[in-house]
Amino acid sequence: MTWDWSAVADFMPRFWEGVLLTLQILVLGSLISFTLGLVWAIGFRAPTRFVRWPVHVFTEFIRTTPLLVQLFFFYFVLPEWGIQFSALTTGTIAIGLHYSTYTAQVYRAGIEAVPAGQWEAATALSLPAHRTWLAVILPQAIRRITPALGNYVIAMLKDTPLLAAIGVLEMLQLSRLESASTFQYTEPLTVVGIAFVLIACPASLLVRTLERRLVR
Amino acid sequence: MTAGLWQNWVLPGIWITVQLLVYSAVLAATVAFAVGTARTHRSRAVRFLAGFYTEVFRGTSALVLMFWLFFVVPPLLGWQLVPMWAAVLALGLSYGAYGAEIVRGALNSVAAPQREAGIALSFTPWQRLRLILLPQAVPEMIPSFCNLLVELLKGTALVSLLGVGDVSFAAYLVRLATQESAQIYTVVLVIYFVIAFAITRSMKALERRTKANIGVVVK
C-alpha cells in the first residue's frame, strides 16, 4: 500500500471542520469542568458531612468509571427520562462533568496548600464566607493550580475522539466517514493521529512554561 | 434484565474486560520499565529516543492509536490484526508512555550516593539497576501505578468501538436487545467502579507490605 497525497488533500476541508469542532468541545468542556470542579472542591470542605459525603461518593464514582460508558449513559438514558440534547451538547456536558472530578482534586490540593494563617486572618477580620473564598483563598490557590488544570485540558483534548461514538462530527468521526466513503483508511487516520501530537506537544510545552513561571 | 442476557453477554464481557486489563497492564509495565530506564541512560541518543517515544504516545489519543493499529498498520505490513490484540497493543503502548514517566521519576528520586556506591563496588549498570535502584524505586512507583491501572481499566472500554465483546460492548448488545438503557448502563458503571475499587484496595495492601520492609507507615 502506498501513501496517497490526493486522499490527504481531499480530506483536508473536512479535517479543518473537525479541528474546529474539537477545539469548540475542548473550550466548552474546560469551562464546565473548571466551574463544576470548583463546586465539588468547595463541597469537599463543607462544614456538614451530609454534603461532604455525597460529593465524595459522586466524584469518586465518576472518576473511576469510563468516560465512554458515561457518554452512552447520558446519550441513551437521559431521553428515556424526558431530557433530550443533541449529541454535541450531551458529549460536551459529559466530558466537562467527567473532568470536573479531576479538576476538583486539583482545586482541593491548591486550596489545602494555602497556609492556615490565611484562613485565620480572614476569620479575625470577620470576613463573610464568600469574601474569604473570593478575596483571600482562591486568588492564592489559583496561581498554584493553573499548570495542573492545563494538564487536564490536554488530557481532555485526547478524549474528545470518544464523542465520535455518539456521532459527534469531530476529527476522528470525520476521518471514519471519509474512510468509509473512499475505502482509504491510512491517510485520514494518520492525519488525525499527527494532528493530536501537533496540538498536544506544544500545549504540554506551554503548560510546562506556565508551571515554571507561576510555581516558584 | 433477564438471567439469559446476564449469562450470555455481561458475564463473558466482564471476563474479557479483566483479560484486556491484565494483558495491557503487562505490556504497559514492560514498556514503562524499558522506556523509563532508557530515559535515565548515559547515552544521549538512547535518552532522546525514549523521550521521543514518550512525547508521541502521550500526545495522541489512545482511541485514535487503536484505530490506526487496526485499520492502517496491518494493510501496510500485509497482515491482519485481531481487534482484541490491536486494542491491547494500543492500550499497552499508550499507557506504557505514562508509566515510563513514573519509572523515570522514581529512579531519579533514589539518592545519588546509592548510584555512586554501586559504581564504587564495581557493579555493572544492569546490576546497579537490578540490585540498588529498582528495589528502592519500586515502592515509590506503586501509588502512581495504581492510578495508572485504574486509568487503564477505564481505557479498556474503548475496545467496544472495535467490536471486542467487553463489558461495555455487552451493554450495547443488551440495549439493542431490550431497548432499555438506564438499567444496563447503571449496572456497567457499577461493575467498573467495583473493579476499580478492588484495584485500589489491593494496590494499597501491596504498598503497605512493600513499604513495611523499609519502615514507612502507609495510612
Coordinates of all heavy atoms in Angstrom, one line a residue, chain A residues 15-69:
Chain A
F15 N -11.3 17.9 7.5 CA -10.5 17.8 8.6 C -10.5 19.1 9.4 O -10.6 19.1 10.7 CB -9.1 17.5 8.1 CG -8.0 17.6 9.2 CD1 -7.9 16.7 10.3 CD2 -7.1 18.7 9.1 CE1 -6.9 16.9 11.2 CE2 -6.1 18.8 10.1 CZ -6.0 17.9 11.1
W16 N -10.4 20.3 8.7 CA -10.4 21.5 9.4 C -11.7 21.8 10.2 O -11.7 22.3 11.3 CB -10.2 22.7 8.5 CG -8.8 22.7 8.0 CD1 -8.4 22.7 6.7 CD2 -7.6 22.8 8.7 NE1 -7.0 22.7 6.6 CE2 -6.5 22.8 7.8 CE3 -7.3 22.9 10.1 CZ2 -5.2 22.8 8.3 CZ3 -6.0 22.9 10.5 CH2 -5.0 22.9 9.6
E17 N -12.9 21.3 9.6 CA -14.1 21.4 10.3 C -14.0 20.6 11.6 O -14.5 21.0 12.7 CB -15.3 20.7 9.5 CG -15.8 21.5 8.4 CD -16.8 20.6 7.5 OE1 -17.5 19.8 8.1 OE2 -16.8 20.8 6.3
G18 N -13.4 19.4 11.5 CA -13.3 18.5 12.7 C -12.4 19.2 13.7 O -12.7 19.1 14.9
V19 N -11.3 19.8 13.3 CA -10.4 20.5 14.2 C -11.2 21.6 15.0 O -11.1 21.7 16.2 CB -9.2 21.1 13.5 CG1 -8.4 22.0 14.4 CG2 -8.3 20.0 12.9
L20 N -12.0 22.4 14.2 CA -12.7 23.5 14.8 C -13.7 23.0 15.9 O -13.8 23.5 17.0 CB -13.5 24.3 13.8 CG -12.6 25.3 13.0 CD1 -13.5 26.0 12.0 CD2 -12.0 26.3 14.0
L21 N -14.4 21.9 15.5 CA -15.4 21.3 16.4 C -14.7 20.7 17.7 O -15.1 20.9 18.8 CB -16.2 20.2 15.8 CG -17.5 19.8 16.5 CD1 -18.4 21.0 16.5 CD2 -18.1 18.6 15.9
T22 N -13.5 20.1 17.5 CA -12.7 19.5 18.6 C -12.4 20.7 19.5 O -12.5 20.5 20.8 CB -11.5 18.8 18.1 OG1 -11.9 17.7 17.3 CG2 -10.6 18.3 19.2
L23 N -11.9 21.8 19.0 CA -11.5 22.9 19.8 C -12.7 23.5 20.5 O -12.6 23.9 21.7 CB -10.8 24.0 19.0 CG -9.4 23.6 18.4 CD1 -8.8 24.6 17.5 CD2 -8.4 23.2 19.5
Q24 N -13.8 23.5 19.9 CA -15.1 24.1 20.5 C -15.5 23.2 21.7 O -15.8 23.7 22.8 CB -16.2 24.1 19.4 CG -17.5 24.7 19.9 CD -18.6 24.5 18.9 OE1 -18.3 24.4 17.7 NE2 -19.8 24.4 19.4
I25 N -15.4 21.8 21.5 CA -15.7 20.9 22.6 C -14.7 21.1 23.7 O -15.1 21.2 24.9 CB -15.6 19.4 22.1 CG1 -16.7 19.2 21.0 CG2 -15.8 18.5 23.3 CD1 -16.4 17.9 20.2
L26 N -13.5 21.3 23.4 CA -12.4 21.5 24.4 C -12.6 22.7 25.2 O -12.6 22.7 26.4 CB -11.1 21.6 23.6 CG -9.8 21.5 24.5 CD1 -9.8 20.1 25.2 CD2 -8.6 21.7 23.7
V27 N -13.0 23.9 24.5 CA -13.2 25.1 25.3 C -14.4 25.0 26.2 O -14.3 25.3 27.4 CB -13.3 26.3 24.3 CG1 -13.7 27.6 25.0 CG2 -12.0 26.5 23.5
L28 N -15.5 24.6 25.6 CA -16.7 24.5 26.5 C -16.6 23.4 27.6 O -17.0 23.7 28.7 CB -18.0 24.2 25.6 CG -18.3 25.3 24.6 CD1 -19.4 24.8 23.7 CD2 -18.8 26.5 25.4
G29 N -16.0 22.3 27.2 CA -15.8 21.2 28.2 C -14.9 21.7 29.3 O -15.1 21.4 30.5
S30 N -13.9 22.5 29.0 CA -13.0 23.0 30.0 C -13.7 24.0 30.9 O -13.5 23.9 32.2 CB -11.8 23.8 29.4 OG -11.1 23.0 28.5
L31 N -14.5 24.8 30.3 CA -15.3 25.8 31.2 C -16.2 25.1 32.2 O -16.2 25.4 33.3 CB -16.1 26.7 30.3 CG -15.4 27.8 29.5 CD1 -16.3 28.6 28.6 CD2 -14.7 28.8 30.5
I32 N -16.9 24.0 31.7 CA -17.8 23.2 32.5 C -16.9 22.6 33.6 O -17.3 22.6 34.8 CB -18.5 22.2 31.7 CG1 -19.5 22.9 30.8 CG2 -19.3 21.2 32.7 CD1 -20.2 21.9 29.8
S33 N -15.8 22.0 33.2 CA -15.0 21.2 34.2 C -14.4 22.1 35.3 O -14.3 21.8 36.4 CB -14.0 20.3 33.6 OG -12.9 21.1 33.1
F34 N -13.9 23.3 34.8 CA -13.3 24.2 35.8 C -14.4 24.7 36.8 O -14.1 24.9 38.0 CB -12.7 25.5 35.1 CG -11.5 25.1 34.2 CD1 -11.0 26.0 33.4 CD2 -10.9 23.9 34.3 CE1 -9.8 25.7 32.6 CE2 -9.8 23.5 33.6 CZ -9.3 24.5 32.7
T35 N -15.6 25.0 36.3 CA -16.6 25.6 37.2 C -17.2 24.5 38.1 O -17.2 24.7 39.3 CB -17.8 26.1 36.3 OG1 -17.3 26.8 35.2 CG2 -18.8 27.0 37.1
L36 N -17.5 23.3 37.5 CA -18.1 22.3 38.4 C -17.0 21.8 39.4 O -17.3 21.4 40.5 CB -18.5 21.1 37.5 CG -20.0 21.1 37.0 CD1 -20.3 19.9 36.2 CD2 -20.9 21.2 38.2
G37 N -15.8 21.7 38.9 CA -14.7 21.2 39.8 C -14.5 22.1 41.0 O -14.3 21.6 42.1
L38 N -14.7 23.4 40.8 CA -14.7 24.3 42.0 C -15.8 24.1 42.9 O -15.6 24.1 44.2 CB -14.7 25.8 41.5 CG -14.5 26.8 42.5 CD1 -13.1 26.7 43.2 CD2 -14.5 28.2 41.9
V39 N -17.0 23.8 42.3 CA -18.2 23.5 43.2 C -17.9 22.2 44.0 O -18.1 22.2 45.2 CB -19.4 23.2 42.3 CG1 -20.6 22.8 43.1 CG2 -19.8 24.5 41.6
W40 N -17.3 21.2 43.4 CA -17.0 19.9 44.2 C -16.0 20.2 45.2 O -16.1 19.7 46.4 CB -16.5 18.8 43.3 CG -17.3 18.4 42.1 CD1 -16.9 18.1 40.8 CD2 -18.7 18.3 42.0 NE1 -17.9 17.8 39.9 CE2 -19.1 17.9 40.6 CE3 -19.8 18.4 42.9 CZ2 -20.3 17.7 40.2 CZ3 -21.1 18.2 42.4 CH2 -21.4 17.9 41.1
A41 N -15.0 21.0 44.9 CA -13.9 21.3 45.8 C -14.4 22.0 47.0 O -14.0 21.7 48.2 CB -12.8 22.1 45.1
I42 N -15.3 23.0 46.8 CA -15.9 23.7 47.9 C -16.8 22.7 48.7 O -16.8 22.7 50.0 CB -16.7 24.9 47.5 CG1 -15.7 25.9 46.9 CG2 -17.5 25.6 48.6 CD1 -16.3 27.1 46.2
G43 N -17.5 21.8 48.0 CA -18.3 20.7 48.7 C -17.5 19.9 49.6 O -17.9 19.4 50.6
F44 N -16.2 19.6 49.1 CA -15.3 18.7 50.0 C -15.1 19.4 51.3 O -14.8 18.7 52.3 CB -13.9 18.5 49.3 CG -13.9 17.7 48.1 CD1 -13.0 17.9 47.0 CD2 -14.8 16.6 47.9 CE1 -13.0 17.2 45.9 CE2 -14.8 15.8 46.8 CZ -13.9 16.1 45.8
R45 N -15.1 20.7 51.4 CA -14.8 21.4 52.6 C -16.0 21.9 53.3 O -15.9 22.7 54.3 CB -13.9 22.6 52.3 CG -12.5 22.2 51.7 CD -11.7 23.4 51.6 NE -11.3 24.0 52.9 CZ -10.2 23.7 53.5 NH1 -9.3 22.8 53.0 NH2 -9.9 24.2 54.7
A46 N -17.2 21.4 52.9 CA -18.5 21.8 53.6 C -18.4 21.5 55.0 O -17.9 20.4 55.4 CB -19.6 21.2 52.9
P47 N -19.0 22.3 55.9 CA -19.0 22.0 57.4 C -19.8 20.8 57.7 O -19.5 20.1 58.7 CB -19.6 23.3 58.0 CG -20.2 24.0 56.9 CD -19.7 23.6 55.6
T48 N -20.8 20.4 56.9 CA -21.6 19.2 57.3 C -21.2 18.0 56.5 O -21.0 18.1 55.3 CB -23.1 19.5 57.2 OG1 -23.8 18.2 57.1 CG2 -23.5 20.3 55.9
R49 N -21.2 16.8 57.1 CA -20.8 15.6 56.3 C -21.9 15.2 55.4 O -21.7 14.4 54.5 CB -20.4 14.5 57.3 CG -21.5 13.7 57.9 CD -21.0 12.6 58.7 NE -21.1 12.9 60.2 CZ -21.4 12.0 61.1 NH1 -21.4 10.8 60.7 NH2 -21.5 12.4 62.3
F50 N -23.1 15.7 55.6 CA -24.2 15.3 54.7 C -24.0 15.9 53.3 O -24.6 15.6 52.3 CB -25.6 15.8 55.2 CG -25.9 15.1 56.5 CD1 -25.9 15.7 57.7 CD2 -26.2 13.7 56.5 CE1 -26.2 15.0 58.9 CE2 -26.5 13.0 57.6 CZ -26.5 13.6 58.8
V51 N -23.2 17.0 53.2 CA -22.8 17.5 51.9 C -21.4 16.8 51.5 O -21.3 16.4 50.3 CB -22.6 19.0 51.9 CG1 -22.1 19.6 50.6 CG2 -23.9 19.7 52.3
R52 N -20.5 16.8 52.4 CA -19.1 16.2 52.0 C -19.2 14.8 51.5 O -18.7 14.5 50.5 CB -18.2 16.2 53.3 CG -17.7 17.5 53.6 CD -16.5 17.4 54.5 NE -16.7 16.5 55.7 CZ -17.1 17.0 56.9 NH1 -17.3 18.3 57.1 NH2 -17.3 16.2 57.9
W53 N -20.0 13.9 52.2 CA -20.0 12.5 51.9 C -20.6 12.3 50.5 O -20.0 11.6 49.6 CB -20.8 11.8 53.0 CG -20.7 10.3 52.9 CD1 -19.6 9.6 53.3 CD2 -21.6 9.4 52.3 NE1 -19.9 8.2 53.0 CE2 -21.1 8.1 52.4 CE3 -22.9 9.5 51.7 CZ2 -21.7 7.0 52.0 CZ3 -23.6 8.4 51.3 CH2 -23.0 7.1 51.4
P54 N -21.8 12.8 50.1 CA -22.4 12.6 48.8 C -21.4 13.1 47.7 O -21.3 12.5 46.6 CB -23.7 13.3 48.8 CG -24.0 13.5 50.2 CD -22.8 13.6 51.0
V55 N -20.8 14.3 48.0 CA -19.9 14.9 47.0 C -18.7 13.9 46.7 O -18.3 13.6 45.6 CB -19.4 16.3 47.4 CG1 -18.3 16.8 46.5 CG2 -20.5 17.3 47.4
H56 N -18.1 13.3 47.8 CA -17.0 12.4 47.7 C -17.4 11.2 46.9 O -16.7 10.8 46.0 CB -16.6 11.9 49.1 CG -15.5 12.8 49.6 ND1 -14.2 12.8 49.1 CD2 -15.4 13.6 50.7 CE1 -13.4 13.6 49.8 NE2 -14.2 14.2 50.7
V57 N -18.6 10.6 47.3 CA -19.0 9.4 46.6 C -19.3 9.6 45.1 O -18.8 8.9 44.2 CB -20.3 8.8 47.3 CG1 -20.9 7.6 46.5 CG2 -20.0 8.3 48.7
F58 N -20.0 10.7 44.8 CA -20.3 11.1 43.4 C -19.0 11.3 42.6 O -18.9 10.7 41.5 CB -21.2 12.3 43.4 CG -21.6 12.7 42.0 CD1 -22.5 12.1 41.3 CD2 -20.9 13.9 41.4 CE1 -22.8 12.4 40.0 CE2 -21.3 14.3 40.1 CZ -22.2 13.5 39.4
T59 N -18.1 12.1 43.1 CA -16.9 12.4 42.3 C -16.1 11.1 42.1 O -15.5 10.9 41.1 CB -16.1 13.5 42.9 OG1 -15.8 13.2 44.3 CG2 -16.8 14.8 42.8
E60 N -16.0 10.3 43.2 CA -15.2 9.1 43.1 C -15.8 8.1 42.1 O -15.1 7.5 41.3 CB -15.1 8.4 44.5 CG -13.9 7.6 44.8 CD -12.6 8.2 44.5 OE1 -12.5 9.5 44.7 OE2 -11.7 7.5 44.0
F61 N -17.1 8.1 42.0 CA -17.8 7.2 41.1 C -17.5 7.6 39.7 O -17.2 6.8 38.8 CB -19.3 7.2 41.4 CG -20.1 6.2 40.6 CD1 -20.1 4.8 40.9 CD2 -20.8 6.6 39.4 CE1 -20.8 3.9 40.2 CE2 -21.5 5.7 38.7 CZ -21.5 4.3 39.1
I62 N -17.7 8.9 39.4 CA -17.5 9.5 38.1 C -16.0 9.3 37.7 O -15.7 9.0 36.5 CB -17.8 11.0 38.0 CG1 -19.3 11.2 38.3 CG2 -17.5 11.6 36.7 CD1 -20.3 10.9 37.2
R63 N -15.1 9.5 38.6 CA -13.7 9.4 38.3 C -13.2 8.0 38.0 O -12.3 7.8 37.2 CB -12.9 10.0 39.5 CG -11.6 10.8 39.2 CD -11.3 11.7 40.3 NE -11.1 11.0 41.5 CZ -9.9 10.8 42.0 NH1 -8.8 11.1 41.3 NH2 -9.7 10.2 43.2
T64 N -13.8 7.0 38.6 CA -13.3 5.6 38.4 C -14.1 4.8 37.3 O -13.9 3.7 37.2 CB -13.4 4.8 39.7 OG1 -14.7 5.0 40.3 CG2 -12.3 5.3 40.7
T65 N -15.1 5.5 36.7 CA -15.8 4.8 35.6 C -15.5 5.4 34.2 O -15.1 6.6 34.2 CB -17.3 4.8 35.9 OG1 -17.7 6.2 36.1 CG2 -17.7 4.0 37.0
P66 N -15.5 4.6 33.2 CA -15.0 5.1 31.9 C -15.9 6.2 31.3 O -17.2 6.2 31.4 CB -15.1 3.9 31.0 CG -15.3 2.7 31.8 CD -15.9 3.2 33.1
L67 N -15.2 7.2 30.7 CA -16.0 8.3 30.1 C -16.9 7.8 28.9 O -18.0 8.3 28.8 CB -14.9 9.3 29.5 CG -15.5 10.5 28.7 CD1 -16.5 11.3 29.5 CD2 -14.4 11.4 28.2
L68 N -16.4 6.8 28.2 CA -17.2 6.2 27.1 C -18.6 5.7 27.6 O -19.6 6.0 27.0 CB -16.4 5.1 26.4 CG -17.1 4.5 25.2 CD1 -17.2 5.5 24.1 CD2 -16.4 3.3 24.7
V69 N -18.5 5.0 28.7 CA -19.8 4.4 29.2 C -20.7 5.6 29.7 O -21.9 5.6 29.6 CB -19.5 3.4 30.3 CG1 -20.8 2.8 30.8 CG2 -18.6 2.3 29.8

